[in-house]
Structure formats: C-alpha cells, structure tokens
Amino acid sequence: MPVAVRSLLTGLFVGLLVALLLPQLAPNISLSVYTSQGSAANHTPLPDWSSMAQVFRNVARNVVRGANGGRSGANYKSTTIAASSSTLLSRSSLPSPASSSTSKTYSASFATSLSNMASTQLTKNVLEAIKERRTYYQLNKEAPISDSKIKELTEQALLHVPSSFNSQSTRLVVLLNKDHEQFWDYVIDVLKPLTPEGSFDGTKQKINGFKAAYGTVLFYEAPEPVENLRKAFPLYAHHFGDWSEHTNAMHQYALWVALEAEGFGANLQHYNPIIDQKAAEHWSIPLEWKLRSQLVFGGRAGEPGEKQFQKTFGERLFVHGSKE
C-alpha cells in the first residue's frame, strides 16, 4: 500500500477514534458566551464540536501533506499540537471583559448607586471626599439618589462607624419628604413663643430654608449602653459620657461626607433640646434618647461660602519624631 494512502488512513482512523472517545472523557466544554458588544455574558457548558472538527481536519490535511512531502509519520504529533494551539489562540483573541467596550458595565460595581452615575464619587480617595465636604445652606428637593439608597447609607454608617467599647449607642432617625417638612414645621411652632416678635419673621425664613431641603437625619444617643458601661467599668465611668459624644460626632461626620459624595448638599443644625419632645411624640422616639444634632440635606441650590483656613503647623498641628 502506498505510503501516502497508508498515512491518510491512519490519520482518519485516529481522528475517528478521538471523536468517539471525546464525548465520554469530556462531554461538555465550558465556553464563554460573548454578546455582540464583546462582553462575556456568562459561562455555559456547550459542546465545542466545530472547534474539534477543525482540529481533525487540520490533522488529516497535515498528515497528507507530510506524506506527500516524503516526511515520516513521526511528524503527526507536532502537527496535532500545532493545530490544537491554533484553535486555543483563536479563542483567546476574543474581546476581554475588561476591554474598553465593556468598562462601563464593570465599573458600575464600584458605584454606590447603579441608577445615578454621580454616585461613583464615592470611589474617590477618602481625603478627596473629606476636602469636598462643605456646608450648603441653599438646598432644594432634588435627590441624586433614591430613598432606599439613603437608607442604605445611614445603615452603613451605623454598622461601621466606631464607638467606645463597642457601645453602639448612636441612634439615627431619617425623615424624608413630608416627614422632613413636618419636623421643621414643629421647629417653627416651638420657636415662635421663644422668639421676640420683631425677629420671628427672619427666624421663620431661616427654618423654611431647611424645610425646602429633601430630608433630615436626627442623631440621638441612647443612655442605656452608656450606663451599662459605667457599671461594668467603674474606673472609667466619668469618661463614658464624653466618649458617647465622640461616637455620635463621628456618625454625623461620616454620614455628612457620604451624602455629599453622592451629590447632595448638607448642613448641620442644633435645635435640640427644644424640639425633642415634639419629635418624640410624633415619631414614637423614646424620651430618654438625647437628640444631639440634625443633618439637613438636599439638592444643591447654591454654592457654599468661601472656606477660611487658619494656620496649621505650629498653631493647630504639632508633629514630633518625623523622619522627613
């Protein structure tokens, strides 16, 4: 039998044998299914028979070429590897999920709100977000994120802002929409008998400016965790009140920065304790909770005032032991 014919038959027989055994050895091959935009939609087990058929055709063709060229059957192994490598390389040339055509989809995972691209500001460096926090007094009812996202931010602040001895004494009451407006109406009510008649119009105008915003966060401290710590650690009993205030202040600041990073403007107010009882009655807040501040937030209807900086080094900042 001629060498070329024998080589051809050998190649075809080997190819047929592999085709019969392959489904038993590896019945499914995991393939990345790519969309028309080039992004990997998912990984689905699909039979890659078209790719394998191409390998077999390449093998048979190269065997015949080798036989016709006078080369021995020892070249079969190298041609098989070459054909398989070619198929694998062709797969790897598919667009990567991290390519520019899909970067928008994947970068969304860094945002805090998929519905608002401004929320990607939270991916900024922490110091950048701190620098950009300002006091906005001119606010409106435009909200760059949803109410559910606002609730999520406040919950994250409660979960991750530290507290002394892990007391977790801070309590937050979030007032949105009509409840937010009701709170500031109550402030006007309680201020009216306390304000000189000639000054009340100006006071009312100021309070209506807060009412014009989107929402208010009330920051409370619950006394029970603090009292429990005083009993458990009498040596530090006189400190726990101060440390409770530190904890509350950190919650105020963290949430202020977070809301402004999402695109809100905000300002911090202190109409406690005159509003405490009204708020407690209307929103069923325990009377023993101590209201510490009110963070007003909303759409930015104006620009913040110019920031004034006092000298730091030598007056407000002192560094010892620095190597540079």
Side-chain angles (χ1 to χ4, degrees):
M1 183 181 295
V3 174
V5 175
R6 185 167 59 252
S7 298
L8 175 61
L9 292 176
T10 301
L12 291 176
F13 175 75
V14 172
L16 179 61
L17 182 62
V18 173
L20 292 173
L21 292 176
L22 187 62
Q24 305 300 321
L25 298 174
N28 290 297
I29 298 175
S30 178
L31 297 177
S32 294
V33 180
Y34 283 80
T35 65
S36 59
Q37 288 79 18
S39 60
N42 52 45
H43 294 272
T44 308
L46 293 174
D48 194 16
W49 300 117
S50 59
S51 299
M52 294 308 301
Q54 184 61 47
V55 174
F56 297 146
R57 284 196 293 271
N58 290 341
V59 171
R61 184 164 56 249
N62 287 324
V63 169
V64 173
R65 285 176 182 172
N68 288 338
R71 290 192 293 269
S72 69
N75 195 45
Y76 174 75
K77 182 176 181 180
S78 62
T79 56
T80 303
I81 295 173
S84 301
S85 300
S86 174
T87 303
L88 292 173
L89 287 173
S90 68
R91 288 186 197 171
S92 65
S93 65
L94 290 170
S96 167
S99 66
S100 59
S101 63
T102 59
S103 60
K104 182 176 180 181
T105 302
Y106 283 82
S107 66
S109 63
F110 292 96
T112 61
S113 173
L114 295 178
S115 62
N116 191 309
M117 293 308 294
S119 64
T120 56
Q121 293 179 64
L122 275 184
T123 66
K124 291 178 180 177
N125 181 283
V126 173
L127 286 178
E128 238 183 293
I130 290 173
K131 288 177 185 178
E132 292 184 0
R133 186 226 48 84
R134 302 297 301 278
T135 295
Y136 289 83
Y137 288 111
Q138 294 175 286
L139 302 172
N140 58 36
K141 296 192 180 300
E142 295 180 8
I145 59 175
S146 66
D147 290 355
S148 62
K149 194 65 187 178
I150 294 170
K151 290 187 286 185
E152 181 184 336
L153 286 179
T154 54
E155 182 185 27
Q156 292 302 309
L158 282 173
L159 289 172
H160 300 294
V161 172
S163 57
S164 64
F165 286 67
N166 197 30
S167 63
Q168 301 183 49
S169 55
T170 299
R171 305 289 184 263
L172 303 181
V173 177
V174 183
L175 305 177
L176 303 173
N177 305 303
K178 296 298 182 183
D179 285 270
H180 154 78
E181 294 180 359
Q182 181 64 74
F183 177 83
W184 292 106
D185 282 339
Y186 283 152
V187 173
I188 291 175
D189 291 343
V190 297
L191 279 176
K192 188 172 182 177
L194 302 175
T195 307
E197 188 174 345
S199 305
F200 183 69
D201 287 344
T203 299
K204 184 176 180 180
Q205 184 178 355
K206 180 181 179 181
I207 302 304
N208 281 333
F210 304 140
K211 181 180 175 181
Y214 188 78
T216 303
V217 181
L218 309 181
F219 292 84
Y220 287 88
E221 278 297 296
E224 185 179 0
V226 179
E227 291 304 319
N228 289 340
L229 286 172
R230 283 176 173 147
K231 294 173 183 176
F233 303 96
L235 183 63
Y236 306 108
H238 59 293
H239 290 301
F240 285 117
D242 291 339
W243 294 342
S244 169
E245 299 296 329
H246 300 168
T247 294
N248 200 279
M250 285 191 285
H251 281 81
Q252 296 169 32
Y253 187 70
L255 200 49
W256 193 345
V257 171
L259 286 168
E260 287 206 1
E262 286 286 2
F264 281 112
N267 60 75
L268 194 67
Q269 299 302 317
H270 302 86
Y271 285 90
N272 45 289
I274 62 172
I275 192 61
D276 293 25
Q277 187 168 351
K278 276 275 190 183
E281 291 172 357
H282 187 82
W283 287 286
S284 302
I285 300 169
L287 276 173
E288 62 269 20
W289 289 8
K290 297 177 181 178
L291 182 59
R292 286 294 173 247
S293 67
Q294 305 88 49
L295 182 65
V296 186
F297 62 94
R300 298 174 184 179
E303 296 299 321
E306 183 180 354
K307 208 168 190 178
Q308 302 293 327
F309 296 99
Q310 296 180 12
K311 184 180 177 182
T312 52
F313 283 97
E315 292 188 8
R316 301 173 62 205
L317 176 62
F318 305 87
V319 181
H320 304 279
S322 173
K323 295 182 179 179
E324 296 179 358

